[in-house]
Amino acid sequence: MLRSSQPLTGPNRKRCREDEMLLGTVLDEGERGFIIDTRSAQAAKQARMTGGGTEPKSSYPQWRRLHRPLERGRPLQESFIKLVEACNDTSINMDRWLSRLESCRWLSHVKAALSTACLAAQCMDREEASVLVHGAEGTDTTLLVTALAQVILDPSCRTLVGFQGLLEREWIEAGHPFHLRCARSAYSHARLKQEAPLFLLFLDCVWQLSRQFPFSLEFDERLLLTLFDNAYASAYGTFLCNNEKERQVGTPRCLCKVKESTHSLWAWLNQPEEEKKYLNPLYSHNALVIWPSVEPQSIQLWQGLFFRWIRSSQYLDEAWAEIQQLVEGN
C-alpha cells in the first residue's frame, strides 16, 4: 500500500517521468495496480485548474484509477457540529431526534470511510494488487483510508502497541495537521476554515470495528476516548503542531520545541498501571482479515463519545470491570 499527494499535472497535463518510473517499479510486467482517489472525478478535474490533477491513463497504463469521494473540510465539520448539538438537546422526542441524526449525515461519513478502506483492503487481499491512495494534499482522507485499511488487514495493528505505531506512522509522521484540524471543539462558536474532525472520524470507524469484532482488538473504547481528548486538548506533545518539520528543534516555525519541552502520550499510556486500563479483557488474537459490515443497521452512533457528557456510564463501567475480573480469575 502506497500513499501520496495528488500529481501536479495542471491544466496542460504535465508529466513527471520520475513519478511514472517510481510507480512503474512497484508492479511487475503484466501486473495491475489500483489508484484510489478520495475525491470525486469532478473535484479531481477541477484541481487541474490550480495545478493539481490525476494520473493520466496513458502515462500510468498498469494502474486503474477509482474515485471514492470522502468529505474532508467544512461539510465534515458542520456534520460534526450538528451531531453534537442534536446529542445535547434532551428536549426533543425520538422521531425528531432520529430526523436530526439522519440530517447531520455523520453516520454516512462513517460508512463512506469504512467502505473506501474496505475497497483498498480488498484490492490488496483478494486481488493481490498494489494500491496507491491519495486525495489532494495526502494528509487527510488519504491517511484515514490507509490507516483503516491496515487495521482491517493487519492483526498487529489491532494490538495496543501496534495501534500506537500505526497512529505515529500514518497520522503524526505523515503530516496530518492536528493544530489546524482540531483547533476548536464542536462546542465553539468560532468556525475556522481549516477545521475538520478527520481524526475523530477515524477513531469512530475503529470503534465500529471494535463493536463488530469484540474479540479482535486488544484495546477498548477507553483508549479511543483518550486519544480523542488528547487530539483536542492534551498535557502531552504527541498531537501538537501540523507536521514533523514544525515539531523539530531549530526550525523557524517551531516555537514550542515539542521534542524537548513535552512528554509523549505513548510513554504515559505504556506504563503498566495505565496500560491495563485500556486493554480489552475479551481480546483473542485473530490472524484473519476483519471485514466490517457497512449496512445501515450495522453502523451505530458512538454513544460512549457523543453521549458521554449527558449520560452516566456507571453501569457500563461496572459491567466491564466485572468482565475483567472474571477473565483475570480464569
Side-chain angles (χ1 to χ4, degrees):
M1 180 178 287
L2 311 169
R3 51 174 162 76
S4 71
S5 58
Q6 65 181 326
L8 303 180
T9 54
N12 297 323
R13 296 180 180 271
K14 294 182 294 184
R15 294 181 63 176
C16 179
R17 302 289 184 177
E18 292 81 4
D19 281 357
E20 294 170 18
M21 185 180 301
L22 180 62
L23 288 188
T25 60
V26 172
L27 305 176
D28 293 329
E29 186 176 352
E31 288 186 340
R32 292 182 62 84
F34 294 90
I35 298 172
I36 298 179
D37 195 325
T38 60
R39 304 167 295 177
S40 66
Q42 182 63 27
K45 185 177 180 180
Q46 290 174 348
R48 287 211 304 266
M49 298 300 103
T50 55
T54 58
E55 295 81 0
K57 291 182 179 179
S58 58
S59 302
Y60 300 87
Q62 290 180 271
W63 293 85
R64 178 186 175 190
R65 191 172 69 249
L66 305 171
H67 288 277
R68 291 297 184 273
L70 298 174
E71 295 288 359
R72 69 183 185 97
R74 181 62 64 84
L76 188 62
Q77 179 70 8
E78 291 297 327
S79 174
F80 177 40
I81 291 170
K82 289 178 181 178
L83 175 58
V84 169
E85 290 174 347
C87 290
N88 285 275
D89 187 352
T90 58
S91 63
I92 57 178
N93 59 32
M94 181 58 69
D95 290 340
R96 177 66 177 150
W97 151 248
L98 291 174
S99 176
R100 289 185 65 176
L101 176 61
E102 182 177 4
S103 65
C104 76
R105 300 192 66 249
W106 180 260
L107 296 184
S108 298
H109 297 311
V110 172
K111 176 181 179 179
L114 282 172
S115 298
T116 306
C118 283
L119 173 64
Q122 286 171 350
C123 290
M124 295 183 67
D125 182 68
R126 296 179 178 175
E127 300 292 330
E128 297 184 347
S130 296
V131 174
L132 168 64
V133 183
H134 73 67
E137 292 85 3
T139 56
D140 289 295
T141 52
T142 299
L143 308 183
L144 173 66
V145 172
T146 57
L148 279 176
Q150 289 176 68
V151 176
I152 291 170
L153 288 169
D154 187 353
S156 69
C157 292
R158 301 175 217 142
T159 66
L160 183 60
V161 173
F163 189 66
Q164 292 174 27
L166 175 75
L167 297 181
E168 187 73 28
R169 179 178 68 251
E170 296 298 318
W171 287 92
I172 298 170
E173 293 178 354
H176 180 64
F178 282 97
H179 178 68
L180 292 174
R181 299 294 183 261
C182 305
R184 299 274 196 278
S185 75
Y187 294 93
S188 172
H189 293 294
R191 295 290 189 270
L192 300 183
K193 185 177 181 181
Q194 298 280 1
E195 276 191 289
L198 268 301
F199 186 61
L200 168 59
L201 182 59
F202 167 72
L203 295 177
D204 197 328
C205 290
V206 175
W207 178 81
Q208 304 289 338
L209 292 172
S210 70
R211 191 189 60 80
Q212 293 189 28
F213 300 93
F215 304 104
S216 296
L217 277 66
E218 188 184 26
F219 50 89
D220 65 10
E221 178 186 50
R222 281 168 289 193
L223 176 68
L224 302 178
L225 293 172
T226 298
L227 292 170
F228 165 74
D229 290 340
N230 280 272
Y232 280 88
S234 180
Y236 302 91
T238 302
F239 296 117
L240 290 179
C241 302
N242 292 310
N243 51 57
E244 283 295 278
K245 184 177 180 180
E246 290 186 14
R247 297 183 187 99
Q248 293 174 2
V249 178
T251 56
R253 295 188 62 186
C254 186
L255 303 177
C256 55
K257 296 183 178 179
V258 172
K259 304 287 186 181
E260 281 187 341
S261 305
T262 68
H263 294 285
S264 168
L265 175 63
W266 313 133
W268 174 66
L269 288 177
N270 291 330
Q271 296 177 95
E273 287 303 308
E274 289 297 324
E275 183 181 74
K276 67 181 184 181
K277 297 177 184 178
Y278 304 101
L279 294 176
N280 173 13
L282 302 178
Y283 173 69
S284 176
H285 177 74
N286 178 6
L288 301 176
V289 177
I290 54 174
W291 297 110
S293 169
V294 294
E295 295 300 319
Q297 63 270 26
S298 300
I299 305 296
Q300 294 189 9
L301 181 66
W302 185 6
Q303 297 185 32
L305 174 65
F306 295 110
F307 288 158
R308 67 192 295 202
W309 293 284
I310 60 173
R311 179 183 295 178
S312 173
S313 62
Q314 175 188 350
Y315 300 115
L316 184 60
D317 292 341
E318 290 175 352
W320 201 243
E322 188 171 344
I323 291 173
Q324 198 160 16
Q325 289 176 2
L326 289 172
V327 172
E328 291 174 353
N330 292 332

